[in-house]
Amino acid sequence: MSSTSTITALSPETLTSWIAQHQDLVVIDVRSAAEFESLHIRGSYNVPLPLLSEHTDELAARLGSRVVLVCQSGVRAEQARQRMNSVGLETAYVLTGGVPGFAAAGGDVVHGRKRWDLERQVRLAAGALVVAGLAAGRLVSPRLRLLAGTVGAGLTFSAATNTCAMGRVLSTMPWNKTASEPTRESAILRLPTPTTTTEEKISA
């Protein structure tokens, strides 16, 4: 049996239990800083997926054996799990249902400024582009209907590869930024190491 078989999904109820029982637990939220600011699990650390992907080795070296990756729905958290598995961290869990699912299950979360999550923005942008392409194809030139086909092909590729180029583009937009974006120093180096004491972790 491969080592990846030990990596499993984690339910909100189990995560709630772990938070209460395991002081070595580290919850990594891989959403954008804006999404994290809007709603996050209390005590979690924000390491956006692009930052995690850039510093995967360093991040994995700072984590112990009990790591839970979270995002909005589980898609980005699974991508993060695969990245971390590629550098030898094979004991990460992915929270099913994402942060909203954890909140709905009664988990302890922190609310902030209301924002649209990135996945909702992707649906809006894709839908708007399809409508615009069909309308332009009817009113301007039939060739412009190709825009709708291009968006459809992009969404199909996104599903097949479990990636989202549109999401990466939207994450760079000003409305998806916060006053202090996470950096290697403010996010990764702030994480507790396996040898960090309980007191140090609480004061971080």
Side-chain angles (χ1 to χ4, degrees):
M1 183 178 294
S2 66
S3 58
T4 56
S5 64
T6 63
I7 303 173
T8 61
L10 194 73
S11 71
E13 294 77 15
T14 301
L15 178 56
T16 298
S17 175
W18 280 16
I19 290 173
Q21 297 177 10
H22 300 288
Q23 296 179 347
D24 61 337
L25 173 67
V26 178
V27 180
I28 304 293
D29 191 323
V30 302
R31 297 175 301 160
S32 70
E35 291 173 288
F36 183 83
E37 183 180 79
S38 177
L39 176 71
H40 64 268
I41 297 171
R42 189 178 301 278
S44 61
Y45 295 85
N46 184 213
V47 184
L49 184 58
L51 187 64
L52 180 147
S53 299
E54 185 178 352
H55 300 283
T56 307
D57 289 293
E58 186 173 14
L59 175 63
R62 296 184 65 85
L63 297 174
S65 60
R66 198 178 297 274
V67 179
V68 179
L69 300 163
V70 306
C71 66
Q72 192 68 18
S73 65
V75 174
R76 281 172 283 176
E78 172 60 20
Q79 293 176 29
R81 182 199 68 77
Q82 293 175 9
R83 289 285 302 176
M84 295 176 72
N85 182 61
S86 71
V87 298
L89 183 62
E90 302 175 346
T91 54
Y93 293 80
V94 172
L95 176 66
T96 57
V99 177
F102 183 79
D108 189 7
V109 296
V110 177
H111 293 270
R113 175 185 171 189
K114 293 292 184 181
R115 301 172 185 262
W116 278 23
D117 64 79
L118 198 59
E119 291 164 18
R120 185 179 181 185
Q121 292 180 45
V122 168
R123 293 196 297 271
L124 174 65
L129 287 172
V130 169
V131 171
L134 292 176
R138 181 180 180 85
L139 301 174
V140 182
S141 170
R143 292 182 179 180
L144 293 177
R145 292 177 182 172
L146 289 174
L147 176 60
T150 300
V151 173
L155 292 175
T156 301
F157 178 80
S158 175
T161 61
N162 198 28
T163 60
C164 186
M166 187 179 293
R168 289 196 298 271
V169 171
L170 286 172
S171 69
T172 66
M173 296 295 103
W175 59 84
N176 285 320
K177 299 293 184 181
T178 62
S180 56
E181 288 293 303
T183 64
R184 171 181 174 272
E185 289 71 24
S186 67
I188 294 177
L189 297 184
R190 183 173 176 268
L191 289 168
T193 62
T195 57
T196 300
T197 65
T198 302
E199 292 76 10
E200 290 172 332
K201 182 176 179 180
I202 292 175
S203 63

